Amino acid sequence: MNPFQQLIFYLLAAAFLQNMVLSAGFGTSIMLRIVRRPGELPLFTALLGLFSLLTVLIAYPVDLLLKVDPISKLFRPLIMVAIAAGLYIGASLLLKKKLPPLYRRLRRMLPLAALNNMVVGVALVVNHQFALSLPGAIGLSLGSTFGFFLLSVLTAEAREKADNPDVPQAFRGMPLSLVYLGILALAVMGFTSGVSFV
């Protein structure tokens, strides 16, 4: 497979076949929080994708420098978190100094997007669980972000429809959202046919 085909394959597989939110729980709590304000979803997803992509691009060569010995495996999560935190600090300082109006708009979303466990989790999957080429890692990162966006849109739509008086009081809000996500996870598992990133 050429690099472009790898990028597209992993992008589509991560977005549709094995959604990281449904299969590994990466980003679930943030997704349930962000769907309360559906207008912020596209901007948040763009930030999440940017941080996820940059974390993978920085972590990929760092992981090649680390060997596969047991000690380096213990430090990989800490390294991924340090990379994400460094990107957050750098982005915050840059936006605050160069683009203050944009920083004021993004100030609340920036830490959620940068330090989301999806960003660190995707980087760990790419660099820890199996060997991927750089285009495959980029495809997995972008596909996971796109899958996050699709699932967030579906969940926001479901939350809107759940405001029905026929829904029992005990199931309104978070319980119904979790049942809905569980059913979606089962449906997506039916399509995976052995594809597993986690």
Side-chain angles (χ1 to χ4, degrees), residues 22 28 151 175-189:
L22 294 175
T28 307
L151 187 61
L176 187 61
S177 295
L178 293 175
V179 168
Y180 176 73
L181 287 174
I183 292 170
L184 275 177
L186 289 172
V188 169
M189 271 180 43

Side-chain angles (χ1 to χ4, degrees), residues 16-131:
F16 298 109
L17 292 180
Q18 189 172 11
N19 189 304
M20 292 288 191
V21 176
L22 294 175
S23 63
F26 295 152
T28 307
S29 61
I30 298 297
M31 184 206 59
L32 289 172
R33 184 175 175 183
I34 202 73
V35 295
R36 293 180 191 155
R37 295 183 179 144
E40 293 181 353
L41 186 58
L43 183 59
F44 180 79
T45 305
L47 284 171
L48 182 68
L50 180 67
F51 281 115
S52 180
L53 181 63
L54 290 174
T55 302
V56 166
L57 288 175
I58 294 169
Y60 192 85
V62 167
D63 195 60
L64 293 177
L65 294 174
L66 295 174
K67 302 301 178 207
V68 190
D69 59 42
I71 294 173
S72 67
K73 284 185 179 182
L74 295 174
F75 290 109
R76 273 189 174 91
L78 184 61
I79 291 169
M80 302 306 163
V81 169
I83 290 170
L87 285 171
Y88 163 67
I89 291 168
S92 294
L93 292 175
L94 183 71
L95 287 173
K96 194 173 191 177
K97 182 168 261 190
K98 300 288 184 187
L99 299 166
L102 183 61
Y103 176 73
R104 282 191 295 277
R105 183 171 179 212
L106 300 177
R107 181 177 45 212
R108 218 179 65 247
M109 284 187 266
L110 210 53
L112 293 176
L115 302 172
N116 189 335
N117 66 349
M118 185 176 151
V119 171
V120 175
V122 169
L124 279 172
V125 167
V126 165
N127 292 309
H128 182 61
Q129 299 285 60
F130 60 98

